[in-house]
Amino acid sequence: MIAIPYLTALSTYFSYGLLFLFGQIRDFFRKLIDWSSANNLHGYAPLCLGLEDFYTRRLYLRIQDCFGRPIASAPDAWFDVVERFSKDNNKTLNRTSNTTKCLNLGSYNYLGFAASDEYCTPRVIESLKKYSPSTCSSRVDGGTTTLHVELEKCVADFVGKPAAIVFGMGYVTNSAILPVLMGKGSLIISDSLNHSSIINAPAHLEEVLKEQIADGQPRTGRPWKKIMVIVEGIYSMEGELCKLPEIIAICKKYKAYTYLDEAHSIGAVGKSGRGVCELLGVDPADVDVMMGTFTKSFGSCGGYIAGSKELIQYLKYTCPAHLYATSISPPAGEQIMSAIKVILGEDGTSRGAQKLARIRENSNFFRSELQKMGFEVLGDNDSPVMPIMLYNPAKIPAFSRECLRQNVAVVTVAFPATPLLLARARICISASHSREDLLKALEVISRVGDLVGIKYFPAEPSKQLPDSDSKKCD
């Protein structure tokens, strides 16, 4: 649970209040102008209506240049950000032909496979020549190649499950699977924001399970047909590791199924990159359904579900994403398999082990240095995701724009992706970052933090950063 300083919360509420008030005043005059002017849609209900539309028009558009920044290169440690400009106060953004080379602290390129790789790239090119970019068919029609069969076996072996099924989109992996597994009379226990505030507190989880089992289904009171507890390996907005051993023990006690989402943890943590089960000493057999994506650590696209052979066979008969969606692109599948081989050392080198050691070292070093500077940093050690709390809405664009001006690209996250008061900058560390890259980022972030005023804790006494001959920023 994040404890917000009283004055910070007060100033944040005040800032949002001012934005809301002026937005309502502008909307009032807008309605007067629209009423007085001829309109072909007179009598129609507005297509966009409600607080979401108001938030988009009056708050988001003011700072939309901080989001969706296009890039013109591979998302490596450094990449080219396309410059944009606006002539109408940020309502529309126009791209230019100019680019700025920036240090990349926003991409999920945890192990550095998103850039050209000496082992993966040649094999991806060969698969492109052999299979083409797309199968142009679903898996049950003509979209299953020998590569897809090999990929599913490779993934199942990697995560320690008997079988796996793969999909062409990570988001669909969850959204298409859960309705198939959990029908009428089933209960899903998960945080509304996929954060750690409910599920990652085992004592609270036990209370919820006890209450739901005792009360049963609403109105009828009948027992739940099945209960599924959904947790994330690394919480994407918090950078926090789930308390998986405790959660599994509670689920076993109350006969609830465990669904582990490893979108941000598979490949990134664990001695051999096998995720939180390996890191926390959990037997994969104790997790009923394992889900993950290939868009982070493997430099590809798509996602997977791993479980028992019976579960995977059932999903192949019933899951809409398998029955109707185009199968994962063969070159993307080859990239995944090649990345796994590098991670496991099957390419004949130790590069995979070096990548895993480097991302762990980079993450812990960067988190430690940020905390020493006085930033409020969320998350646990070994996690490559580290949110820096901003809180106030005015600090979101200030931090993002100033970092970009100094050639550091960061991702800022605000409502509705987070609660209204908990805006943050989400830093993602990669194994492709050198120590010099991290020192450059720390210098810039420290300087911008002083300028914007987001160092909410006292800094440790100033001293030279390791391996750096650059001066400490005031």
Side-chain angles (χ1 to χ4, degrees), residues 58 78 112 197:
R58 297 307 183 199
W78 290 78
S197 59

Side-chain angles (χ1 to χ4, degrees), residues 31-157:
K31 288 177 182 177
L32 291 180
I33 295 171
D34 288 347
W35 178 79
S36 62
S37 61
N39 195 328
N40 294 329
L41 296 179
H42 183 69
Y44 283 80
L47 283 173
C48 304
L49 189 64
L51 283 177
E52 291 83 0
D53 177 53
F54 174 83
Y55 179 87
T56 300
R57 289 184 292 102
R58 297 307 183 199
L59 281 76
Y60 172 78
L61 288 182
R62 290 172 175 265
I63 60 172
Q64 71 161 325
D65 60 297
C66 299
F67 307 101
R69 288 172 176 148
I71 64 174
S73 65
D76 204 357
W78 290 78
F79 61 3
D80 297 326
V81 178
V82 177
E83 296 179 8
R84 298 180 293 176
F85 69 94
S86 177
K87 295 181 179 179
D88 53 9
N89 296 316
N90 258 16
K91 288 182 180 178
T92 58
L93 294 171
N94 303 293
R95 299 184 187 185
T96 70
S97 58
N98 301 324
T99 61
T100 302
K101 194 172 188 64
C102 294
L103 180 59
N104 180 9
L105 295 182
S107 298
Y108 304 133
N109 184 25
Y110 295 144
L111 294 183
F113 283 117
S116 179
D117 182 82
E118 63 187 70
Y119 182 83
C120 301
T121 304
R123 286 159 177 77
V124 171
I125 294 172
E126 283 302 313
S127 70
L128 177 62
K129 293 176 181 177
K130 181 177 180 180
Y131 294 105
S132 85
S134 173
T135 62
C136 299
S137 183
S138 67
R139 289 290 302 275
V140 296
D141 295 328
T144 298
T145 67
T146 55
L147 187 146
H148 290 87
V149 177
E150 185 183 352
L151 172 61
E152 289 178 338
K153 184 180 185 307
C154 178
V155 170
D157 292 343

Side-chain angles (χ1 to χ4, degrees), residues 362 365-366 429 433-442:
N362 285 352
F365 167 75
F366 203 79
I429 296 300
H433 287 133
S434 66
R435 183 55 62 95
E436 289 72 24
D437 293 337
L438 299 181
L439 293 173
K440 158 76 174 176
L442 288 167

Side-chain angles (χ1 to χ4, degrees), residues 165 177 180-181 305 311-319 322:
I165 182 173
I177 287 295
V180 173
L181 294 179
I305 294 289
L311 170 66
I312 300 305
Q313 195 64 34
Y314 172 74
L315 293 177
K316 288 184 176 181
Y317 289 140
T318 56
C319 178
H322 182 79

